[in-house]
Amino acid sequence: PPTQWLYLPALRRVRIAPYRPEEPLLQSHYLFYDLTTILNFGDYEYRFHTASESAPVIDGTPRPGFVPYDATTFALERRGTTYVVTKITYQAKGQRREAEFRDYHEIAPGWFRPGQIVVRDASGHTELTFRSWVLNSAGPELFTGTALETRNLTVPVKETSP
């Protein structure tokens, strides 16, 4: 089964935690899987729900595996030559959840990141707000299994003021 690597900044350590995609993340409305859903394009089969050039809507049917949702719909918005996700609607075990992505910032030419993500379900909502996005490069040797398991993780981080 897959594992989850958890970086603990206060300890400057990485821990391996069991990956349970259907469990809430730190008592929020996010599931562990929500941290990876947009990155794991291969987890879904896609078809256009609305084929609009400026704001397409795409339905995602999960492939068998570790996806905790029964169905997912992605709403997109065109930004220059690319698209950003503005809303994801999830269906799981008869429950509906929505993730809204707001206040996009262009952090590099053609690369956008949201300033806020809000996840809602029947019991409430959780908001994540990002004050700044900074891209720093880390060498590939930093993310080998042996390096992560056996030593402190030093990641180049640059703090910026809003």
Side-chain angles (χ1 to χ4, degrees):
T3 56
Q4 185 165 307
W5 298 78
L6 179 65
Y7 174 61
L8 305 169
L11 301 175
R12 299 183 65 81
R13 293 272 187 206
V14 172
R15 297 285 185 253
I16 299 174
Y19 179 68
R20 294 183 185 97
E22 71 287 347
E23 289 187 1
L25 174 66
L26 303 173
Q27 300 180 354
S28 72
H29 292 86
Y30 287 88
L31 300 183
F32 277 107
Y33 183 80
D34 295 338
L35 300 176
T36 61
T37 185
I38 295 174
L39 300 177
N40 294 334
F41 290 114
D43 287 352
Y44 293 90
E45 292 180 12
Y46 300 94
R47 67 180 171 77
F48 278 103
H49 181 84
T50 306
S52 162
E53 187 174 326
S54 61
V57 177
I58 300 171
D59 290 329
T61 303
R63 295 179 185 206
F66 296 100
V67 180
Y69 302 115
D70 302 322
T72 305
T73 301
F74 302 89
L76 309 174
E77 180 181 287
R78 188 176 185 104
R79 295 281 173 106
T81 59
T82 191
Y83 291 88
V84 296
V85 175
T86 56
K87 187 178 193 179
I88 303 175
T89 305
Y90 309 99
Q91 297 288 336
K93 300 176 185 169
Q95 301 292 320
R96 177 186 167 110
R97 299 176 65 238
E98 291 183 350
E100 258 185 85
F101 299 80
R102 305 174 178 167
D103 192 26
Y104 273 94
H105 302 281
E106 189 170 17
I107 59 170
W111 290 79
F112 296 89
R113 294 292 181 261
Q116 186 178 50
I117 302 173
V118 180
V119 175
R120 300 178 197 289
D121 64 15
S123 65
H125 71 280
T126 300
E127 297 180 16
L128 289 179
T129 301
F130 305 96
R131 295 207 164 104
S132 64
W133 286 93
V134 178
L135 298 179
N136 291 323
S137 58
E141 69 283 352
L142 185 65
F143 296 103
T144 65
T146 304
L148 291 171
E149 289 180 48
T150 59
R151 63 179 130 118
N152 289 347
L153 181 61
T154 305
V155 178
V157 176
K158 185 189 310 177
E159 293 291 328
T160 60
S161 301

